[in-house]
Amino acid sequence: MQRLLLTMFDSKKPTVLLLGRWQPWHDGHFALFQRAIKKTGQVLIGVRDVQDHNSGSNPFSFDEVKKEIESKLSDHGYRKDFDYQIQLIPNITNITYGRNVGYVIEQEKFEEQIESISATKIRQKLRNEGKL
């Protein structure tokens, strides 16, 4: 019988940070995650602390966002605390760094089908259906 060696998330290992609101997590976000995990084998998903029931732009709590992401990634065989971790972070609006200190900040480009996915449109559809 062959044993599968499971490796826990290692904070010292190179890691890709995905930073976003994830309101809600959708197929475009999943495509981004798939690219990210191929780079280093583990991903930290930073969920910006932006919930605001009054604005309608960020209706989901951190716990709701986290549960949704975990469910969708689990459906595809990804394991929390092995392949990824999810962390609530402040409402980061700017990322700034000095000299070349080992970070790569890159924008991923996708085909039109993925690029056209809009969480704003998804939230509006949920509102129209009375689900939000």
Side-chain angles (χ1 to χ4, degrees):
M1 182 176 175
Q2 187 177 26
R3 287 185 66 188
L4 179 62
L5 179 62
L6 297 178
T7 305
M8 293 291 291
F9 195 93
D10 180 352
S11 64
K12 295 199 181 310
K13 180 180 171 189
T15 304
V16 174
L17 168 64
L18 292 182
L19 174 63
R21 297 177 301 154
W22 321 117
Q23 295 268 338
W25 182 268
H26 55 63
D27 288 343
H29 297 144
F30 178 64
L32 185 61
F33 174 86
Q34 287 180 297
R35 284 206 185 158
I37 200 158
K38 286 179 183 176
K39 294 175 190 289
T40 62
Q42 65 181 32
V43 176
L44 175 63
I45 301 170
V47 179
R48 290 174 50 208
D49 192 2
V50 294
Q51 183 184 21
D52 180 0
H53 290 294
N54 297 323
S55 76
S57 294
N58 303 299
F60 303 108
S61 70
F62 169 70
D63 290 332
E64 291 169 315
V65 170
K66 182 178 178 187
K67 183 178 178 183
E68 171 93 5
I69 294 170
E70 288 173 351
S71 174
K72 297 287 175 77
L73 292 181
S74 176
D75 288 348
H76 292 280
Y78 294 103
R79 302 155 303 157
K80 185 179 89 164
D81 295 327
F82 288 89
D83 302 310
Y84 69 93
Q85 287 186 343
I86 300 173
Q87 184 173 349
L88 180 65
I89 60 171
N91 185 16
I92 302 293
T93 58
N94 296 62
I95 299 173
T96 309
Y97 69 96
R99 299 176 286 115
N100 182 4
V101 291
Y103 305 123
V104 176
I105 298 176
E106 54 192 349
Q107 179 182 5
E108 295 286 347
K109 297 289 187 179
F110 293 91
E111 63 276 0
E112 179 58 29
Q113 179 183 2
I114 297 295
E115 290 276 346
S116 67
I117 298 172
S118 165
T120 301
K121 291 177 185 174
I122 293 170
R123 289 190 303 273
Q124 186 58 51
K125 182 177 185 285
L126 292 171
R127 280 187 206 94
N128 293 343
E129 294 172 349
K131 297 178 182 176
L132 187 60

